[in-house]
Amino acid sequence: MAEYKWPDAEKRQYIGKRISRIDGPDKVSGRAKYSYDINRPGMLFGKILRSPHAHAKVVSIDTSVAEKMPGVKTVKVINGPGYELQWAGQEIVALAAETESQAEDAVRAIKVQYEKLPHFVNEADRSKAPESYLRKPNENATGDVSKGFAEADVTVEGFYGNDVITHCCLEAHGLVTEWADDKNVLIHPSTQSVSPIGPELARALEMPASSVRVKMDHIGGGFGSKFPIDIWGIEMTKASKQAGGKPIKYFLDRDAELAVAGTRPSLYAKVKVAAKKDGTITAWESDAWGSGGMGNINGPLPYVFSRIPNTKTKHQTVATNVGPQRAWRAPNHPQLALVTMSAMEDLAAKLNMDPLDFFLKNIELTGARAVTYKDELMKAAEMIDWKKTWRPRGEGGLGSTKTVKRGLGLSIHTWQGGPHNSDCDIIINPDGTAEIRIGTQDLGVGVRTVLNIVVAETFGIPLDWVKVSIGDNRYPVSGGSGGSTTTGGISSSSRRGSVDALNLLFEKVAPTLGTAADKLEAVGGKIQVIGDPTKSMPWKQACAKIGVQPLVARGKHPGQGTLASAGVGGCQMADVSVDIETGIVKMNKFVAVQDCGLVMDLKTAESQVFGAMIMGVTYALYEEKIMDDHSGRMLNGNMEFYKLAGLRDIGEFKVHMMTGPGYDERGPIGLGEPPTNSPGAAISNAVANAIGVRVPTIPLTPDRVLAALSQAGAKKEGRG
Amino acid sequence: MPELDNLNPNRPNLCSSLRWKGLFYTATEKDPDVQPSNSGYFWCLHSQTCLGPDGGLAEPGECDKPTRGCHKGEVPLA
């Protein structure tokens, strides 16, 4: 009988190998259809009138002119008179028309009177926040922080932070929605929640969950922002019904996408941290604040070095009239890594210690993963040639010139990545082909390829004999794609389902081979007696024994046996050059070392880390949701001034996945989030190492670099 | 690591319309050595934002008050 456990390393045909994504050709050729590409006969186009004010009360709305305009089929007020709008871009009226331009004209014809109210949109300087915008702080303490500081030989105090950034999914949020009849809805959303979003829409519309069909093939980015059905999903589905069930296409325009479809909260902190001469950390104290819009946020410090014996922390949410936060690839972790690792590197600099030695000295403070971090730090140091290249802060790294300074920085990080609940159906057809059906979506991690690998590996057949079907809520329920939970969950369920299906096939084949089903194995395209290739039957011939009806097994996670686990560590090191005349930071080299348990596909795993590193360079150097104090509106709600890194900005990347004994036996662990956590910290530390001063907040834009240099110069000359 | 009490959804009388990312997947294994990742990202099923239909915050610490006008024990089906 086949067993649930993952095959031993020497028996793996596909798992852990370098296999190209099966949907790669469709994506690069344009054959892959995203929800945005869906166009239906007789389709209407939805538009939404949004608030121009960051804080205002709706006094009156007149839609009468818009309702009579050519092509307009439905107009519906979302937030009517008396509603208090809390951010610019908040929804007021939804409508749909026969053409996009007719819908845009109709939106412009709606007359709204507002009572403007005071707003607050920039929280970096907490002292400027109105009292009513300051939420009750969360305070915690461990050990005796006064004693910890008293025991120390060196103490540093610093200010660190990152601004609010926004999700920038290249496929905007939205959907195509239509009523198949007066009771049944079909939606093509751009969502991370194939299985959950149908019941969500149904519940909001107070209709049976079984009446909502969800279908989508590909998603153009989500990063945590595409879990809900969203107000536009609900309102456009209502509008479709009002329009006789006609399909309506609604996707956010880019300015709305950047303004309202999700932010990553800011985090700022004043940190005091201390150590003995030998580098032993004795105490940590921090006063942190940040904003995720109107809602509360959380921010446990210190990050990873969570076992510092004496700590005192305070965290306060500052409300702002900025579009609401959403989960953004590893919620909180990049911000917490930046604050913690920056303070650590500043402390190492004051101790005149190499930060690599300083981190290794204190690695036990990270807890149970200390050995992993140590191994990863050593590996990353080797990859970037740290010991040869690193120079003490401010000395100018190897290769520096009078105006261009080079520096190295590092950071470590973690993430849960536990597997989510997942069901799937594994089907073996009488012709020997197989199919997996599962209500998940590929958020970009290579889900189709991972599923293909697991099923083909279990059956011992070529990859292209397996069809992977995802993106439909008629398939077995799997968790939403997010939180780095997908690969663990779907790998486990698909392995169990495949093993169960295979054992059913063994039952059919055993009599012909003259043995018992539990004496069979599937290897190299054959069913054979375990260890005896002379008593075998080709896979396709074996499958013919099924008869005419396909054989089906339901795979589940959780289930018998431990096939996945949780908790990873990672390390990143950045090599940068900074032009001290222009303030421009250039990435020379960026290395990442990451574990994720059992690697299912080495190529897509590395690709995940590369993607996170690009995203990391972007948020470290460029990304910023710039809010205008005066108007309360986002100033860079477009792709021209909301800056993302391009190919020429990222430098040389190197990735190493920690695999083999000590890692593989943990089973797969999610990888999407973790490598996103360190880039801001590693790059900020590299810049500090290069120019000799800390640039307190990211993104490390030229003006901030120059300001930090200027301030340091002024201090040195006694002017600051 | 203690988390902000207002963001802890494990409380009685929680409105059935409160939503958060963790509801969309149930991760079965957790590593106690990894710090909590609760982003504080909560939203209301009906308004689909961090504000409830009454304009108040949609968060566990606010959505456990049955006296709130929009609080729902159950969402009725038509």
Side-chain angles (χ1 to χ4, degrees), chain A residues 518-546:
Chain A
D518 63 358
K519 298 283 189 290
L520 294 175
E521 63 179 353
V523 182
K526 289 182 296 196
I527 305 290
Q528 66 180 32
V529 172
I530 295 170
D532 185 358
T534 62
K535 292 178 183 167
S536 67
M537 183 184 291
W539 171 265
K540 290 199 173 188
Q541 193 181 331
C543 290
K545 299 276 178 195
I546 293 171

PDB file of all heavy atoms in Angstrom, chain A residues 518-546:
ATOM      1  N   ASP A 518      -1.598  -4.546  -0.906  1.00  0.00           N
ATOM      2  CA  ASP A 518      -0.609  -3.877  -0.040  1.00  0.00           C
ATOM      3  C   ASP A 518       0.835  -4.266  -0.376  1.00  0.00           C
ATOM      4  O   ASP A 518       1.767  -3.828   0.283  1.00  0.00           O
ATOM      5  CB  ASP A 518      -0.913  -4.124   1.438  1.00  0.00           C
ATOM      6  CG  ASP A 518      -0.837  -5.585   1.826  1.00  0.00           C
ATOM      7  OD1 ASP A 518      -0.575  -6.423   0.925  1.00  0.00           O
ATOM      8  OD2 ASP A 518      -1.052  -5.887   3.016  1.00  0.00           O
ATOM      9  N   LYS A 519       1.006  -5.077  -1.421  1.00  0.00           N
ATOM     10  CA  LYS A 519       2.369  -5.448  -1.837  1.00  0.00           C
ATOM     11  C   LYS A 519       2.778  -4.673  -3.100  1.00  0.00           C
ATOM     12  O   LYS A 519       3.800  -4.989  -3.708  1.00  0.00           O
ATOM     13  CB  LYS A 519       2.447  -6.955  -2.142  1.00  0.00           C
ATOM     14  CG  LYS A 519       2.141  -7.841  -0.939  1.00  0.00           C
ATOM     15  CD  LYS A 519       3.326  -7.888   0.017  1.00  0.00           C
ATOM     16  CE  LYS A 519       3.157  -8.911   1.116  1.00  0.00           C
ATOM     17  NZ  LYS A 519       2.143  -8.567   2.107  1.00  0.00           N
ATOM     18  N   LEU A 520       1.951  -3.688  -3.494  1.00  0.00           N
ATOM     19  CA  LEU A 520       2.217  -2.993  -4.759  1.00  0.00           C
ATOM     20  C   LEU A 520       2.762  -1.587  -4.540  1.00  0.00           C
ATOM     21  O   LEU A 520       2.569  -0.967  -3.489  1.00  0.00           O
ATOM     22  CB  LEU A 520       0.930  -2.924  -5.582  1.00  0.00           C
ATOM     23  CG  LEU A 520       0.377  -4.275  -6.081  1.00  0.00           C
ATOM     24  CD1 LEU A 520      -0.964  -4.064  -6.774  1.00  0.00           C
ATOM     25  CD2 LEU A 520       1.379  -4.959  -7.022  1.00  0.00           C
ATOM     26  N   GLU A 521       3.444  -1.100  -5.579  1.00  0.00           N
ATOM     27  CA  GLU A 521       3.923   0.283  -5.579  1.00  0.00           C
ATOM     28  C   GLU A 521       3.817   0.828  -7.005  1.00  0.00           C
ATOM     29  O   GLU A 521       3.763   0.060  -7.979  1.00  0.00           O
ATOM     30  CB  GLU A 521       5.370   0.372  -5.083  1.00  0.00           C
ATOM     31  CG  GLU A 521       6.375  -0.355  -5.959  1.00  0.00           C
ATOM     32  CD  GLU A 521       7.809  -0.225  -5.460  1.00  0.00           C
ATOM     33  OE1 GLU A 521       8.051   0.528  -4.515  1.00  0.00           O
ATOM     34  OE2 GLU A 521       8.692  -0.890  -6.051  1.00  0.00           O
ATOM     35  N   ALA A 522       3.766   2.169  -7.107  1.00  0.00           N
ATOM     36  CA  ALA A 522       3.717   2.824  -8.416  1.00  0.00           C
ATOM     37  C   ALA A 522       5.052   3.501  -8.652  1.00  0.00           C
ATOM     38  O   ALA A 522       5.438   4.414  -7.924  1.00  0.00           O
ATOM     39  CB  ALA A 522       2.597   3.860  -8.444  1.00  0.00           C
ATOM     40  N   VAL A 523       5.785   3.006  -9.657  1.00  0.00           N
ATOM     41  CA  VAL A 523       7.133   3.527  -9.924  1.00  0.00           C
ATOM     42  C   VAL A 523       7.364   3.609 -11.433  1.00  0.00           C
ATOM     43  O   VAL A 523       7.067   2.649 -12.162  1.00  0.00           O
ATOM     44  CB  VAL A 523       8.233   2.602  -9.320  1.00  0.00           C
ATOM     45  CG1 VAL A 523       9.624   3.178  -9.560  1.00  0.00           C
ATOM     46  CG2 VAL A 523       8.010   2.373  -7.840  1.00  0.00           C
ATOM     47  N   GLY A 524       7.885   4.718 -11.902  1.00  0.00           N
ATOM     48  CA  GLY A 524       8.334   4.823 -13.292  1.00  0.00           C
ATOM     49  C   GLY A 524       7.299   4.447 -14.331  1.00  0.00           C
ATOM     50  O   GLY A 524       7.618   3.775 -15.311  1.00  0.00           O
ATOM     51  N   GLY A 525       6.053   4.860 -14.105  1.00  0.00           N
ATOM     52  CA  GLY A 525       5.017   4.604 -15.093  1.00  0.00           C
ATOM     53  C   GLY A 525       4.478   3.193 -15.060  1.00  0.00           C
ATOM     54  O   GLY A 525       3.851   2.736 -16.022  1.00  0.00           O
ATOM     55  N   LYS A 526       4.743   2.487 -13.961  1.00  0.00           N
ATOM     56  CA  LYS A 526       4.273   1.095 -13.843  1.00  0.00           C
ATOM     57  C   LYS A 526       3.693   0.866 -12.445  1.00  0.00           C
ATOM     58  O   LYS A 526       4.067   1.544 -11.477  1.00  0.00           O
ATOM     59  CB  LYS A 526       5.452   0.114 -14.016  1.00  0.00           C
ATOM     60  CG  LYS A 526       5.988   0.015 -15.431  1.00  0.00           C
ATOM     61  CD  LYS A 526       7.101  -1.010 -15.509  1.00  0.00           C
ATOM     62  CE  LYS A 526       8.283  -0.587 -14.673  1.00  0.00           C
ATOM     63  NZ  LYS A 526       9.526  -1.285 -14.953  1.00  0.00           N
ATOM     64  N   ILE A 527       2.812  -0.123 -12.342  1.00  0.00           N
ATOM     65  CA  ILE A 527       2.418  -0.669 -11.046  1.00  0.00           C
ATOM     66  C   ILE A 527       3.181  -1.980 -10.918  1.00  0.00           C
ATOM     67  O   ILE A 527       3.120  -2.830 -11.820  1.00  0.00           O
ATOM     68  CB  ILE A 527       0.903  -0.968 -10.983  1.00  0.00           C
ATOM     69  CG1 ILE A 527       0.079   0.273 -11.343  1.00  0.00           C
ATOM     70  CG2 ILE A 527       0.530  -1.519  -9.610  1.00  0.00           C
ATOM     71  CD1 ILE A 527       0.101   1.364 -10.341  1.00  0.00           C
ATOM     72  N   GLN A 528       3.889  -2.133  -9.841  1.00  0.00           N
ATOM     73  CA  GLN A 528       4.693  -3.352  -9.706  1.00  0.00           C
ATOM     74  C   GLN A 528       4.684  -3.865  -8.268  1.00  0.00           C
ATOM     75  O   GLN A 528       4.336  -3.131  -7.329  1.00  0.00           O
ATOM     76  CB  GLN A 528       6.144  -3.073 -10.135  1.00  0.00           C
ATOM     77  CG  GLN A 528       6.878  -2.111  -9.224  1.00  0.00           C
ATOM     78  CD  GLN A 528       8.309  -1.851  -9.675  1.00  0.00           C
ATOM     79  OE1 GLN A 528       8.606  -1.863 -10.861  1.00  0.00           O
ATOM     80  NE2 GLN A 528       9.196  -1.606  -8.731  1.00  0.00           N
ATOM     81  N   VAL A 529       5.058  -5.120  -8.133  1.00  0.00           N
ATOM     82  CA  VAL A 529       5.256  -5.674  -6.792  1.00  0.00           C
ATOM     83  C   VAL A 529       6.452  -4.929  -6.187  1.00  0.00           C
ATOM     84  O   VAL A 529       7.461  -4.702  -6.877  1.00  0.00           O
ATOM     85  CB  VAL A 529       5.525  -7.190  -6.856  1.00  0.00           C
ATOM     86  CG1 VAL A 529       5.917  -7.730  -5.483  1.00  0.00           C
ATOM     87  CG2 VAL A 529       4.282  -7.912  -7.378  1.00  0.00           C
ATOM     88  N   ILE A 530       6.300  -4.565  -4.930  1.00  0.00           N
ATOM     89  CA  ILE A 530       7.323  -3.715  -4.303  1.00  0.00           C
ATOM     90  C   ILE A 530       8.724  -4.300  -4.505  1.00  0.00           C
ATOM     91  O   ILE A 530       9.002  -5.438  -4.131  1.00  0.00           O
ATOM     92  CB  ILE A 530       7.024  -3.518  -2.789  1.00  0.00           C
ATOM     93  CG1 ILE A 530       5.716  -2.727  -2.620  1.00  0.00           C
ATOM     94  CG2 ILE A 530       8.167  -2.770  -2.093  1.00  0.00           C
ATOM     95  CD1 ILE A 530       5.189  -2.663  -1.190  1.00  0.00           C
ATOM     96  N   GLY A 531       9.569  -3.528  -5.148  1.00  0.00           N
ATOM     97  CA  GLY A 531      10.961  -3.905  -5.344  1.00  0.00           C
ATOM     98  C   GLY A 531      11.188  -4.943  -6.427  1.00  0.00           C
ATOM     99  O   GLY A 531      12.317  -5.416  -6.583  1.00  0.00           O
ATOM    100  N   ASP A 532      10.134  -5.302  -7.181  1.00  0.00           N
ATOM    101  CA  ASP A 532      10.300  -6.356  -8.185  1.00  0.00           C
ATOM    102  C   ASP A 532       9.731  -5.910  -9.538  1.00  0.00           C
ATOM    103  O   ASP A 532       8.563  -6.171  -9.849  1.00  0.00           O
ATOM    104  CB  ASP A 532       9.600  -7.636  -7.693  1.00  0.00           C
ATOM    105  CG  ASP A 532       9.851  -8.804  -8.639  1.00  0.00           C
ATOM    106  OD1 ASP A 532      10.526  -8.598  -9.677  1.00  0.00           O
ATOM    107  OD2 ASP A 532       9.367  -9.906  -8.353  1.00  0.00           O
ATOM    108  N   PRO A 533      10.559  -5.306 -10.380  1.00  0.00           N
ATOM    109  CA  PRO A 533      10.065  -4.793 -11.660  1.00  0.00           C
ATOM    110  C   PRO A 533       9.631  -5.885 -12.624  1.00  0.00           C
ATOM    111  O   PRO A 533       8.952  -5.623 -13.617  1.00  0.00           O
ATOM    112  CB  PRO A 533      11.282  -4.031 -12.231  1.00  0.00           C
ATOM    113  CG  PRO A 533      12.330  -4.023 -11.184  1.00  0.00           C
ATOM    114  CD  PRO A 533      11.965  -5.031 -10.152  1.00  0.00           C
ATOM    115  N   THR A 534      10.004  -7.129 -12.329  1.00  0.00           N
ATOM    116  CA  THR A 534       9.605  -8.204 -13.245  1.00  0.00           C
ATOM    117  C   THR A 534       8.116  -8.532 -13.100  1.00  0.00           C
ATOM    118  O   THR A 534       7.523  -9.125 -13.996  1.00  0.00           O
ATOM    119  CB  THR A 534      10.421  -9.486 -12.977  1.00  0.00           C
ATOM    120  OG1 THR A 534      10.149  -9.931 -11.646  1.00  0.00           O
ATOM    121  CG2 THR A 534      11.912  -9.220 -13.129  1.00  0.00           C
ATOM    122  N   LYS A 535       7.538  -8.192 -11.981  1.00  0.00           N
ATOM    123  CA  LYS A 535       6.099  -8.425 -11.794  1.00  0.00           C
ATOM    124  C   LYS A 535       5.404  -7.065 -11.821  1.00  0.00           C
ATOM    125  O   LYS A 535       5.175  -6.447 -10.767  1.00  0.00           O
ATOM    126  CB  LYS A 535       5.855  -9.134 -10.454  1.00  0.00           C
ATOM    127  CG  LYS A 535       6.382 -10.559 -10.435  1.00  0.00           C
ATOM    128  CD  LYS A 535       6.157 -11.190  -9.083  1.00  0.00           C
ATOM    129  CE  LYS A 535       6.766 -12.596  -9.054  1.00  0.00           C
ATOM    130  NZ  LYS A 535       6.844 -13.138  -7.710  1.00  0.00           N
ATOM    131  N   SER A 536       5.125  -6.595 -13.007  1.00  0.00           N
ATOM    132  CA  SER A 536       4.603  -5.248 -13.141  1.00  0.00           C
ATOM    133  C   SER A 536       3.592  -5.134 -14.278  1.00  0.00           C
ATOM    134  O   SER A 536       3.452  -6.058 -15.100  1.00  0.00           O
ATOM    135  CB  SER A 536       5.754  -4.271 -13.414  1.00  0.00           C
ATOM    136  OG  SER A 536       6.315  -4.534 -14.680  1.00  0.00           O
ATOM    137  N   MET A 537       2.949  -3.994 -14.311  1.00  0.00           N
ATOM    138  CA  MET A 537       1.990  -3.704 -15.365  1.00  0.00           C
ATOM    139  C   MET A 537       2.106  -2.211 -15.680  1.00  0.00           C
ATOM    140  O   MET A 537       2.158  -1.398 -14.752  1.00  0.00           O
ATOM    141  CB  MET A 537       0.572  -4.003 -14.843  1.00  0.00           C
ATOM    142  CG  MET A 537      -0.527  -3.815 -15.871  1.00  0.00           C
ATOM    143  SD  MET A 537      -2.154  -4.067 -15.127  1.00  0.00           S
ATOM    144  CE  MET A 537      -2.118  -5.807 -14.802  1.00  0.00           C
ATOM    145  N   PRO A 538       2.173  -1.834 -16.968  1.00  0.00           N
ATOM    146  CA  PRO A 538       2.247  -0.408 -17.276  1.00  0.00           C
ATOM    147  C   PRO A 538       1.060   0.346 -16.670  1.00  0.00           C
ATOM    148  O   PRO A 538      -0.040  -0.202 -16.584  1.00  0.00           O
ATOM    149  CB  PRO A 538       2.206  -0.367 -18.804  1.00  0.00           C
ATOM    150  CG  PRO A 538       2.685  -1.706 -19.240  1.00  0.00           C
ATOM    151  CD  PRO A 538       2.209  -2.664 -18.180  1.00  0.00           C
ATOM    152  N   TRP A 539       1.308   1.592 -16.271  1.00  0.00           N
ATOM    153  CA  TRP A 539       0.270   2.409 -15.610  1.00  0.00           C
ATOM    154  C   TRP A 539      -1.022   2.437 -16.416  1.00  0.00           C
ATOM    155  O   TRP A 539      -2.106   2.216 -15.875  1.00  0.00           O
ATOM    156  CB  TRP A 539       0.814   3.825 -15.399  1.00  0.00           C
ATOM    157  CG  TRP A 539      -0.213   4.814 -14.930  1.00  0.00           C
ATOM    158  CD1 TRP A 539      -0.950   5.662 -15.699  1.00  0.00           C
ATOM    159  CD2 TRP A 539      -0.642   5.037 -13.573  1.00  0.00           C
ATOM    160  NE1 TRP A 539      -1.800   6.399 -14.917  1.00  0.00           N
ATOM    161  CE2 TRP A 539      -1.634   6.036 -13.599  1.00  0.00           C
ATOM    162  CE3 TRP A 539      -0.286   4.473 -12.346  1.00  0.00           C
ATOM    163  CZ2 TRP A 539      -2.258   6.508 -12.454  1.00  0.00           C
ATOM    164  CZ3 TRP A 539      -0.924   4.949 -11.191  1.00  0.00           C
ATOM    165  CH2 TRP A 539      -1.893   5.954 -11.256  1.00  0.00           C
ATOM    166  N   LYS A 540      -0.925   2.684 -17.714  1.00  0.00           N
ATOM    167  CA  LYS A 540      -2.139   2.819 -18.518  1.00  0.00           C
ATOM    168  C   LYS A 540      -2.918   1.500 -18.585  1.00  0.00           C
ATOM    169  O   LYS A 540      -4.138   1.487 -18.569  1.00  0.00           O
ATOM    170  CB  LYS A 540      -1.792   3.326 -19.911  1.00  0.00           C
ATOM    171  CG  LYS A 540      -1.336   4.792 -19.886  1.00  0.00           C
ATOM    172  CD  LYS A 540      -1.423   5.447 -21.232  1.00  0.00           C
ATOM    173  CE  LYS A 540      -1.133   6.936 -21.080  1.00  0.00           C
ATOM    174  NZ  LYS A 540      -1.357   7.706 -22.286  1.00  0.00           N
ATOM    175  N   GLN A 541      -2.179   0.417 -18.681  1.00  0.00           N
ATOM    176  CA  GLN A 541      -2.832  -0.888 -18.707  1.00  0.00           C
ATOM    177  C   GLN A 541      -3.525  -1.150 -17.369  1.00  0.00           C
ATOM    178  O   GLN A 541      -4.643  -1.674 -17.327  1.00  0.00           O
ATOM    179  CB  GLN A 541      -1.783  -1.965 -18.977  1.00  0.00           C
ATOM    180  CG  GLN A 541      -2.357  -3.325 -19.337  1.00  0.00           C
ATOM    181  CD  GLN A 541      -1.242  -4.350 -19.555  1.00  0.00           C
ATOM    182  OE1 GLN A 541      -0.124  -4.011 -19.962  1.00  0.00           O
ATOM    183  NE2 GLN A 541      -1.530  -5.598 -19.278  1.00  0.00           N
ATOM    184  N   ALA A 542      -2.869  -0.739 -16.298  1.00  0.00           N
ATOM    185  CA  ALA A 542      -3.454  -0.906 -14.961  1.00  0.00           C
ATOM    186  C   ALA A 542      -4.742  -0.091 -14.846  1.00  0.00           C
ATOM    187  O   ALA A 542      -5.749  -0.571 -14.302  1.00  0.00           O
ATOM    188  CB  ALA A 542      -2.445  -0.472 -13.897  1.00  0.00           C
ATOM    189  N   CYS A 543      -4.706   1.135 -15.374  1.00  0.00           N
ATOM    190  CA  CYS A 543      -5.876   2.013 -15.257  1.00  0.00           C
ATOM    191  C   CYS A 543      -7.060   1.478 -16.064  1.00  0.00           C
ATOM    192  O   CYS A 543      -8.219   1.757 -15.755  1.00  0.00           O
ATOM    193  CB  CYS A 543      -5.529   3.432 -15.705  1.00  0.00           C
ATOM    194  SG  CYS A 543      -4.417   4.254 -14.550  1.00  0.00           S
ATOM    195  N   ALA A 544      -6.782   0.709 -17.102  1.00  0.00           N
ATOM    196  CA  ALA A 544      -7.870   0.120 -17.885  1.00  0.00           C
ATOM    197  C   ALA A 544      -8.702  -0.840 -17.024  1.00  0.00           C
ATOM    198  O   ALA A 544      -9.856  -1.127 -17.329  1.00  0.00           O
ATOM    199  CB  ALA A 544      -7.296  -0.604 -19.090  1.00  0.00           C
ATOM    200  N   LYS A 545      -8.089  -1.320 -15.956  1.00  0.00           N
ATOM    201  CA  LYS A 545      -8.801  -2.224 -15.041  1.00  0.00           C
ATOM    202  C   LYS A 545      -9.903  -1.503 -14.250  1.00  0.00           C
ATOM    203  O   LYS A 545     -10.722  -2.144 -13.585  1.00  0.00           O
ATOM    204  CB  LYS A 545      -7.819  -2.845 -14.026  1.00  0.00           C
ATOM    205  CG  LYS A 545      -6.714  -3.670 -14.660  1.00  0.00           C
ATOM    206  CD  LYS A 545      -7.195  -5.051 -14.936  1.00  0.00           C
ATOM    207  CE  LYS A 545      -6.118  -5.881 -15.605  1.00  0.00           C
ATOM    208  NZ  LYS A 545      -6.691  -7.103 -16.197  1.00  0.00           N
ATOM    209  N   ILE A 546      -9.863  -0.159 -14.271  1.00  0.00           N
ATOM    210  CA  ILE A 546     -10.859   0.602 -13.506  1.00  0.00           C
ATOM    211  C   ILE A 546     -12.262   0.349 -14.051  1.00  0.00           C
ATOM    212  O   ILE A 546     -13.243   0.381 -13.328  1.00  0.00           O
ATOM    213  CB  ILE A 546     -10.529   2.116 -13.571  1.00  0.00           C
ATOM    214  CG1 ILE A 546      -9.224   2.409 -12.837  1.00  0.00           C
ATOM    215  CG2 ILE A 546     -11.643   2.949 -12.965  1.00  0.00           C
ATOM    216  CD1 ILE A 546      -8.715   3.827 -13.034  1.00  0.00           C
TER     217      ILE A 546
END
